[in-house]
C-alpha cells in the first residue's frame, strides 16, 4: 500500500460532460504528479505540483484540462467537455520531500467516455 | 529529450525459466532509471531503481537490473519465473537535474508465464 488513494476508481460519462477526479497522497508527499495511460501504452506525464504550486504542464494538457492542489494536500483533475479520446486511466503519484527519485502511485481512475 | 524503448511488447516464458525484459534509454546525461510493475486495473509498483553507485541493483520479488552506460541499457532479469510474475512491466527514466521530476515511460512489456 503506497498510501495514495484516488476517487473514483471508475467513471463512465457521456461525451460533452465534465468530470473531476481526486487524488489523496500522504501528508509527507510534497510533490504530486498526474499521468494518463491509454490502453496498451505506458503512462504519459500530464502535470505536477510542488506543494500547492503547479510547476510543469505537458502539452497533452489541453485547455479542457485543469488541475489544482489547494493547500498542498489533495489534488483534483478536471476535464471539461469530455471527448472519446479522453478515455484512459488517470494515475496520480506522490513523492516524498528529499526522496526525489521515488514516486508512489495510486490505483488510478479509469475514465470511459461514451 | 529523454526517451525509453522497451524491446518486445510481449514476452512469454515457462515457469522456472529466466526472465529478461529489455530497456534502452536515450538521454544526454545518464538519468535515474526505474522498473515498475502493473497488475490489471491497478497502479504501478516500483520494482527497483538505479540512482548512483553499484550498477547491478536488486529489487523486490527476486528481480534485478544492470545499468550499462556504454549500452544505454537497463535490462530487467529474474533467474526463475513464477506464475505470479505475469503482469505488465514498465521501464522509466527521470531527469537528475530536477530532483527526479516527471517519469518518462517506455511502452511496456507484457510478461506471460506458462505452467
Amino acid at each position: 500500500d503506497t498510501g495514495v488513494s484516488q476517487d473514483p476508481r471508475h467513471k463512465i460519462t457521456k461525451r460533452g460532460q465534465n468530470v473531476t477526479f481526486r487524488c489523496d497522497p500522504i501528508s509527507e508527499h510534497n510533490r504530486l504528479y498526474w499521468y494518463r495511460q491509454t490502453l496498451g501504452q505506458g503512462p504519459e506525464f500530464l502535470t505536477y505540483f510542488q506543494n500547492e504550486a503547479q510547476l510543469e504542464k505537458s502539452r497533452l494538457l489541453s485547455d479542457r484540462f485543469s488541475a489544482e492542489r489547494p493547500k498542498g494536500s489533495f489534488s483534483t483533475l478536471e476535464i471539461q467537455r469530455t471527448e472519446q479520446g479522453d478515455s484512459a486511466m488517470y494515475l496520480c503519484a506522490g513523492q516524498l520531500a528529499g526522496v526525489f527519485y521515488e514516486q508512489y502511485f495510486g490505483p488510478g481512475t479509469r475514465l470511459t467516455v461514451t | 529529450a529523454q526517451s525509453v524503448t522497451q524491446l518486445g511488447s510481449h514476452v512469454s516464458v515457462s515457469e522456472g525459466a529466466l526472465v529478461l525484459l529489455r530497456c534502452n534509454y536515450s538521454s544526454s546525461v545518464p538519468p535515474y532509471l526505474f522498473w515498475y510493475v502493473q497488475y490489471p486495473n491497478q497502479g504501478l509498483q516500483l520494482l527497483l531503481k538505479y540512482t548512483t553507485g553499484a550498477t547491478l541493483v536488486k529489487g523486490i520479488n527476486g528481480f534485478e537490473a544492470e545499468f550499462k552506460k556504454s549500452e544505454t541499457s537497463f535490462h530487467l532479469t529474474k533467474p526463475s519465473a513464477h506464475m505470479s510474475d505475469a503482469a505488465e512491466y514498465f521501464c522509466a527514466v527521470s531527469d537528475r537535474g530536477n530532483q527526479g521530476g516527471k517519469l518518462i515511460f517506455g511502452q511496456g512489456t507484457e510478461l506471460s508465464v506458462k505452467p
Side-chain angles (χ1 to χ4, degrees):
Chain A
D1 184 6
T2 64
V4 180
S5 61
Q6 292 187 245
D7 183 70
R9 293 292 307 277
H10 303 274
K11 178 70 176 179
I12 301 174
T13 191
K14 293 185 177 181
R15 189 175 54 186
Q17 298 295 304
N18 299 343
V19 294
T20 299
F21 311 138
R22 178 179 170 124
C23 172
D24 284 89
I26 65 173
S27 58
E28 291 84 359
H29 288 160
N30 73 325
R31 284 190 179 183
L32 185 147
Y33 297 81
W34 284 99
Y35 296 87
R36 182 176 71 183
Q37 184 180 20
T38 53
L39 209 59
Q41 301 296 317
E44 295 174 292
F45 168 77
L46 292 178
T47 188
Y48 89 93
F49 295 84
Q50 181 153 313
N51 300 313
E52 66 275 9
Q54 189 173 17
L55 295 188
E56 185 176 353
K57 293 192 289 187
S58 162
R59 57 183 172 79
L60 294 176
L61 213 66
S62 75
D63 291 345
R64 297 184 298 106
F65 287 71
S66 63
E68 295 182 338
R69 194 183 183 198
K71 302 178 183 178
S73 55
F74 71 92
S75 177
T76 59
L77 178 67
E78 181 183 15
I79 309 175
Q80 296 183 328
R81 305 181 303 282
T82 52
E83 302 173 355
Q84 287 190 321
D86 297 331
S87 295
M89 175 80 89
Y90 290 84
L91 296 162
C92 79
Q95 189 175 66
L96 296 170
V99 189
F100 42 82
Y101 40 73
E102 289 195 28
Q103 294 183 22
Y104 300 88
F105 283 82
T109 294
R110 181 165 295 283
L111 172 66
T112 302
V113 181
T114 62
Chain B
Q2 294 175 325
S3 66
V4 178
T5 302
Q6 291 183 238
L7 299 177
S9 58
H10 186 263
V11 169
S12 181
V13 300
S14 297
E15 191 173 20
L18 171 72
V19 175
L20 170 60
L21 304 182
R22 299 177 187 273
C23 172
N24 288 87
Y25 67 89
S26 173
S27 176
S28 56
V29 176
Y32 297 129
L33 295 154
F34 308 85
W35 275 98
Y36 282 86
V37 61
Q38 186 177 37
Y39 297 97
N41 296 314
Q42 293 187 26
L44 283 77
Q45 181 182 8
L46 179 66
L47 276 178
L48 50 76
K49 64 184 182 292
Y50 172 76
T51 57
T52 188
T55 56
L56 180 64
V57 294
K58 296 184 185 298
I60 61 172
N61 302 338
F63 285 93
E64 61 183 35
E66 186 172 11
F67 166 56
K68 292 187 176 181
K69 183 178 178 180
S70 61
E71 299 178 7
T72 60
S73 68
F74 191 56
H75 302 330
L76 181 71
T77 59
K78 182 174 181 177
S80 177
H82 192 271
M83 296 296 290
S84 61
D85 294 327
E88 187 90 21
Y89 291 81
F90 293 96
C91 181
V93 302
S94 69
D95 183 2
R96 290 178 179 271
N98 188 27
Q99 298 183 350
K102 65 187 176 190
L103 291 167
I104 308 298
F105 287 88
Q107 291 198 310
T109 298
E110 183 181 0
L111 175 66
S112 300
V113 182
K114 299 176 291 186

